[in-house]
Amino acid sequence: GQVNLCSNLRAIGIHRDGGFAEYLALPQKQAFVLPAGLNPLHGAFCEPLGCCLHGVDLAGIKPGSSVVVLGGGVIGLLTVQLARLAGATTIILSTRQASRRALAEDLGATVTIDPTAADVIDAIAGPVGLVPGGVDVVFECAGVRETVEQSMRLARAGGTVVIVGVTPQGVKAEFEPFDLLFRELKVLGSFLNPYTHRRAAELIASGTIEIDRLISRQVSLEEAPAVIANPPAPGEVKVLVVPRRG
Protein backbone atom coordinates (compact mmCIF):
# COMPACT_ATOMS: atom_id res chain seq x y z
CA GLY A 1 0.00 0.00 0.00
CA GLN A 2 0.88 3.68 0.11
CA VAL A 3 2.63 3.55 3.46
CA ASN A 4 3.85 7.14 3.15
CA LEU A 5 0.23 8.33 3.20
CA CYS A 6 -0.86 6.29 6.23
CA SER A 7 -2.86 8.37 8.73
CA ASN A 8 -0.92 6.65 11.53
CA LEU A 9 2.50 7.38 10.03
CA ARG A 10 5.15 7.88 12.70
CA ALA A 11 8.29 9.40 11.23
CA ILE A 12 11.65 8.82 12.86
CA GLY A 13 13.21 12.18 13.62
CA ILE A 14 9.81 13.88 13.77
CA HIS A 15 7.43 11.86 15.95
CA ARG A 16 10.16 9.91 17.72
CA ASP A 17 13.88 10.40 18.34
CA GLY A 18 15.84 10.38 15.11
CA GLY A 19 19.30 9.57 13.88
CA PHE A 20 21.49 12.23 15.49
CA ALA A 21 22.77 9.70 18.02
CA GLU A 22 25.34 6.94 18.24
CA TYR A 23 22.62 4.30 18.66
CA LEU A 24 18.98 4.19 17.62
CA ALA A 25 16.11 1.75 18.24
CA LEU A 26 13.69 1.49 15.31
CA PRO A 27 11.19 -0.97 13.80
CA GLN A 28 12.92 -3.85 12.01
CA LYS A 29 11.01 -3.19 8.77
CA GLN A 30 12.61 0.26 8.61
CA ALA A 31 16.16 -1.10 8.78
CA PHE A 32 17.95 -1.88 5.51
CA VAL A 33 21.20 -3.75 5.07
CA LEU A 34 23.53 -1.61 2.98
CA PRO A 35 25.40 -3.24 0.10
CA ALA A 36 28.75 -4.70 1.12
CA GLY A 37 31.56 -2.21 0.72
CA LEU A 38 29.31 0.85 0.61
CA ASN A 39 30.89 3.80 2.39
CA PRO A 40 28.65 4.58 5.41
CA LEU A 41 28.91 8.28 4.57
CA HIS A 42 27.44 7.49 1.16
CA GLY A 43 24.81 5.33 2.83
CA ALA A 44 23.49 8.44 4.57
CA PHE A 45 22.27 9.61 1.15
CA CYS A 46 19.89 6.68 0.70
CA GLU A 47 17.10 8.63 2.41
CA PRO A 48 17.25 11.83 0.33
CA LEU A 49 17.92 9.89 -2.87
CA GLY A 50 14.93 7.66 -2.08
CA CYS A 51 12.74 10.77 -1.83
CA CYS A 52 14.01 11.98 -5.20
CA LEU A 53 13.43 8.55 -6.76
CA HIS A 54 9.80 8.67 -5.65
CA GLY A 55 9.37 12.08 -7.27
CA VAL A 56 10.98 10.95 -10.52
CA ASP A 57 8.81 7.82 -10.54
CA LEU A 58 5.70 10.00 -10.23
CA ALA A 59 6.88 12.33 -13.00
CA GLY A 60 7.07 9.60 -15.63
CA ILE A 61 10.02 11.10 -17.50
CA LYS A 62 10.41 9.63 -20.98
CA PRO A 63 13.54 9.50 -23.16
CA GLY A 64 14.01 12.89 -24.77
CA SER A 65 11.98 14.76 -22.16
CA SER A 66 12.72 18.33 -21.11
CA VAL A 67 13.02 18.97 -17.37
CA VAL A 68 13.40 21.97 -15.08
CA VAL A 69 14.72 21.60 -11.53
CA LEU A 70 14.05 24.55 -9.22
CA GLY A 71 16.54 24.58 -6.36
CA GLY A 72 20.20 23.61 -6.24
CA GLY A 73 20.45 21.97 -2.82
CA VAL A 74 21.08 18.28 -2.30
CA ILE A 75 17.54 17.33 -3.43
CA GLY A 76 17.83 19.37 -6.61
CA LEU A 77 21.29 18.02 -7.46
CA LEU A 78 20.20 14.42 -6.89
CA THR A 79 17.12 15.02 -9.03
CA VAL A 80 19.29 16.36 -11.86
CA GLN A 81 21.22 13.10 -11.86
CA LEU A 82 18.08 10.96 -11.79
CA ALA A 83 16.48 12.97 -14.61
CA ARG A 84 19.55 12.32 -16.73
CA LEU A 85 19.38 8.59 -15.96
CA ALA A 86 15.67 8.58 -16.85
CA GLY A 87 16.48 9.83 -20.34
CA ALA A 88 15.82 13.58 -20.17
CA THR A 89 17.90 15.36 -22.80
CA THR A 90 17.20 18.93 -21.67
CA ILE A 91 17.78 19.49 -17.94
CA ILE A 92 17.65 23.07 -16.69
CA LEU A 93 18.50 23.92 -13.08
CA SER A 94 17.72 27.26 -11.46
CA THR A 95 19.55 28.30 -8.29
CA ARG A 96 21.17 31.46 -6.94
CA GLN A 97 24.61 30.14 -6.00
CA ALA A 98 27.20 30.02 -8.77
CA SER A 99 29.07 27.09 -7.20
CA ARG A 100 25.92 24.99 -7.18
CA ARG A 101 25.15 25.90 -10.79
CA ALA A 102 28.64 24.79 -11.82
CA LEU A 103 28.25 21.53 -9.89
CA ALA A 104 24.84 20.90 -11.46
CA GLU A 105 26.34 21.20 -14.93
CA ASP A 106 29.04 18.69 -13.99
CA LEU A 107 26.35 16.30 -12.74
CA GLY A 108 24.16 16.40 -15.84
CA ALA A 109 22.33 19.71 -16.15
CA THR A 110 22.49 20.90 -19.75
CA VAL A 111 22.09 24.53 -18.70
CA THR A 112 21.71 26.48 -15.46
CA ILE A 113 20.05 29.80 -14.65
CA ASP A 114 20.67 32.41 -11.97
CA PRO A 115 17.16 33.51 -10.90
CA THR A 116 18.56 36.80 -9.58
CA ALA A 117 19.99 37.74 -12.98
CA ALA A 118 17.05 36.93 -15.24
CA ASP A 119 13.31 36.36 -15.17
CA VAL A 120 13.12 32.58 -14.84
CA ILE A 121 9.78 32.28 -16.64
CA ASP A 122 10.89 34.32 -19.66
CA ALA A 123 14.36 32.76 -19.77
CA ILE A 124 12.99 29.22 -19.90
CA ALA A 125 9.42 29.21 -21.22
CA GLY A 126 9.15 32.61 -22.94
CA PRO A 127 8.85 33.03 -26.72
CA VAL A 128 12.64 33.24 -27.09
CA GLY A 129 13.44 31.17 -24.01
CA LEU A 130 15.35 27.92 -23.77
CA VAL A 131 12.17 25.85 -24.23
CA PRO A 132 9.44 28.14 -25.65
CA GLY A 133 6.08 27.18 -24.22
CA GLY A 134 7.53 25.26 -21.28
CA VAL A 135 9.04 21.90 -20.40
CA ASP A 136 7.60 18.43 -20.01
CA VAL A 137 8.36 18.10 -16.29
CA VAL A 138 9.14 20.61 -13.53
CA PHE A 139 10.55 19.53 -10.16
CA GLU A 140 10.12 22.07 -7.36
CA CYS A 141 12.98 21.25 -4.97
CA ALA A 142 13.49 24.49 -3.05
CA GLY A 143 10.42 24.49 -0.82
CA VAL A 144 9.67 28.21 -1.07
CA ARG A 145 6.61 30.08 -2.29
CA GLU A 146 8.40 31.74 -5.22
CA THR A 147 9.54 28.50 -6.83
CA VAL A 148 6.22 26.75 -6.20
CA GLU A 149 4.50 29.54 -8.13
CA GLN A 150 7.15 29.47 -10.87
CA SER A 151 6.79 25.71 -11.32
CA MET A 152 3.28 25.87 -12.75
CA ARG A 153 4.25 28.58 -15.23
CA LEU A 154 7.27 26.65 -16.49
CA ALA A 155 5.43 23.47 -17.49
CA ARG A 156 4.12 23.15 -21.04
CA ALA A 157 0.46 22.51 -21.80
CA GLY A 158 -0.18 18.94 -20.70
CA GLY A 159 3.01 18.97 -18.63
CA THR A 160 3.71 17.71 -15.13
CA VAL A 161 4.77 19.56 -11.98
CA VAL A 162 6.16 17.56 -9.04
CA ILE A 163 6.44 19.29 -5.67
CA VAL A 164 9.41 17.67 -3.90
CA GLY A 165 10.61 20.57 -1.73
CA VAL A 166 9.16 20.90 1.76
CA THR A 167 7.45 24.27 2.09
CA PRO A 168 6.80 25.34 5.71
CA GLN A 169 3.30 24.44 6.83
CA GLY A 170 0.94 27.39 6.49
CA VAL A 171 2.74 29.04 3.55
CA LYS A 172 0.31 29.92 0.74
CA ALA A 173 1.14 30.04 -2.97
CA GLU A 174 -0.92 31.71 -5.69
CA PHE A 175 -1.95 30.02 -8.92
CA GLU A 176 -4.73 30.45 -11.43
CA PRO A 177 -7.12 27.46 -11.48
CA PHE A 178 -8.20 28.35 -15.03
CA ASP A 179 -4.58 28.00 -16.17
CA LEU A 180 -4.36 24.50 -14.69
CA LEU A 181 -7.65 23.61 -16.35
CA PHE A 182 -6.99 25.20 -19.73
CA ARG A 183 -3.48 23.77 -20.07
CA GLU A 184 -4.30 20.43 -18.40
CA LEU A 185 -1.38 20.64 -15.99
CA LYS A 186 -0.73 17.70 -13.72
CA VAL A 187 0.44 18.93 -10.29
CA LEU A 188 1.68 16.19 -7.97
CA GLY A 189 3.01 16.11 -4.44
CA SER A 190 5.88 13.73 -3.71
CA PHE A 191 6.01 12.75 -0.04
CA LEU A 192 8.81 10.71 1.51
CA ASN A 193 10.35 7.62 -0.05
CA PRO A 194 8.06 4.58 -0.08
CA TYR A 195 9.82 1.39 -1.23
CA THR A 196 12.75 3.26 -2.78
CA HIS A 197 15.51 2.82 -0.17
CA ARG A 198 16.90 -0.36 -1.69
CA ARG A 199 17.02 1.12 -5.20
CA ALA A 200 18.71 4.20 -3.80
CA ALA A 201 21.36 2.09 -2.06
CA GLU A 202 22.05 0.12 -5.23
CA LEU A 203 22.40 3.29 -7.32
CA ILE A 204 24.85 4.75 -4.82
CA ALA A 205 26.85 1.54 -4.34
CA SER A 206 27.24 1.10 -8.10
CA GLY A 207 28.67 4.60 -8.46
CA THR A 208 25.84 5.59 -10.79
CA ILE A 209 25.00 8.57 -8.57
CA GLU A 210 27.78 11.01 -7.64
CA ILE A 211 27.88 11.48 -3.87
CA ASP A 212 31.33 12.69 -2.82
CA ARG A 213 30.94 16.10 -4.44
CA LEU A 214 27.69 16.65 -2.54
CA ILE A 215 29.39 16.30 0.86
CA SER A 216 30.54 19.77 1.85
CA ARG A 217 31.91 18.89 5.29
CA GLN A 218 31.57 16.56 8.26
CA VAL A 219 30.81 17.61 11.83
CA SER A 220 30.58 15.85 15.19
CA LEU A 221 27.42 15.33 17.23
CA GLU A 222 28.54 18.15 19.50
CA GLU A 223 28.81 20.54 16.55
CA ALA A 224 25.46 19.52 15.04
CA PRO A 225 23.13 21.89 16.98
CA ALA A 226 25.01 24.98 15.79
CA VAL A 227 25.06 23.74 12.20
CA ILE A 228 21.32 23.01 12.23
CA ALA A 229 20.49 26.37 13.82
CA ASN A 230 22.30 28.40 11.16
CA PRO A 231 21.82 28.74 7.39
CA PRO A 232 24.27 26.86 5.15
CA ALA A 233 27.53 28.56 4.36
CA PRO A 234 27.85 29.80 0.76
CA GLY A 235 28.47 26.86 -1.54
CA GLU A 236 27.55 24.19 0.99
CA VAL A 237 25.36 21.35 -0.26
CA LYS A 238 25.24 18.69 2.47
CA VAL A 239 26.79 18.60 5.94
CA LEU A 240 27.07 15.13 7.48
CA VAL A 241 26.92 14.51 11.22
CA VAL A 242 29.42 11.80 12.16
CA PRO A 243 29.39 10.46 15.77
CA ARG A 244 32.76 10.27 17.50
CA ARG A 245 34.33 12.57 14.97
CA GLY A 246 36.93 14.74 16.59
Side-chain angles (χ1 to χ4, degrees):
Q2 294 175 293
V3 294
N4 59 316
L5 304 182
C6 177
S7 59
N8 295 318
L9 178 70
R10 306 295 292 175
I12 297 172
I14 298 176
H15 302 106
R16 57 182 294 175
D17 288 344
F20 289 137
E22 290 190 55
Y23 301 99
L24 171 68
L26 76 164
Q28 181 180 0
K29 63 183 179 181
Q30 291 184 264
F32 294 85
V33 178
L34 295 178
L38 177 63
N39 184 335
L41 296 181
H42 292 181
F45 282 78
C46 291
E47 191 278 337
L49 182 60
C51 292
C52 298
L53 273 169
H54 182 48
V56 170
D57 287 347
L58 291 172
I61 296 173
K62 298 177 181 178
S65 291
S66 55
V67 169
V68 163
V69 177
L70 298 173
V74 67
I75 297 298
L77 293 171
L78 289 171
T79 299
V80 163
Q81 297 185 66
L82 291 175
R84 173 178 51 81
L85 291 174
T89 50
T90 298
I91 304 173
I92 304 166
L93 179 130
S94 172
T95 191
R96 290 181 172 85
Q97 294 192 30
S99 60
R100 292 183 177 184
R101 293 196 301 273
L103 179 55
E105 292 180 11
D106 288 345
L107 296 177
T110 53
V111 65
T112 58
I113 289 178
D114 178 357
T116 66
D119 182 282
V120 173
I121 308 301
D122 287 342
I124 296 175
V128 294
L130 295 167
V131 187
V135 298
D136 299 311
V137 178
V138 180
F139 292 98
E140 195 291 312
C141 299
V144 296
R145 172 180 172 173
E146 180 183 12
T147 48
V148 171
E149 293 176 347
Q150 288 173 351
S151 65
M152 300 180 208
R153 299 179 61 192
L154 289 169
R156 64 166 175 81
T160 298
V161 174
V162 184
I163 306 297
V164 184
V166 181
T167 306
Q169 194 169 11
V171 170
K172 303 292 192 297
E174 293 185 3
F175 67 93
E176 188 176 348
F178 179 80
D179 183 53
L180 269 63
L181 168 72
F182 187 74
R183 296 198 297 127
E184 278 198 357
L185 294 184
K186 183 187 295 183
V187 181
L188 304 171
S190 177
F191 184 55
L192 297 181
N193 42 25
Y195 310 115
T196 54
H197 268 82
R198 197 166 305 284
R199 287 165 56 201
E202 290 170 355
L203 283 169
I204 294 171
S206 68
T208 304
I209 297 293
E210 170 60 39
I211 295 298
D212 280 326
R213 297 185 65 186
L214 304 182
I215 302 174
S216 302
R217 59 189 172 113
Q218 301 172 35
V219 300
S220 66
L221 279 172
E222 292 72 24
E223 296 171 298
V227 172
I228 295 169
N230 291 288
E236 275 190 347
V237 177
K238 190 70 169 177
V239 177
L240 293 186
V241 178
V242 182
R244 301 184 183 180
R245 176 178 172 80

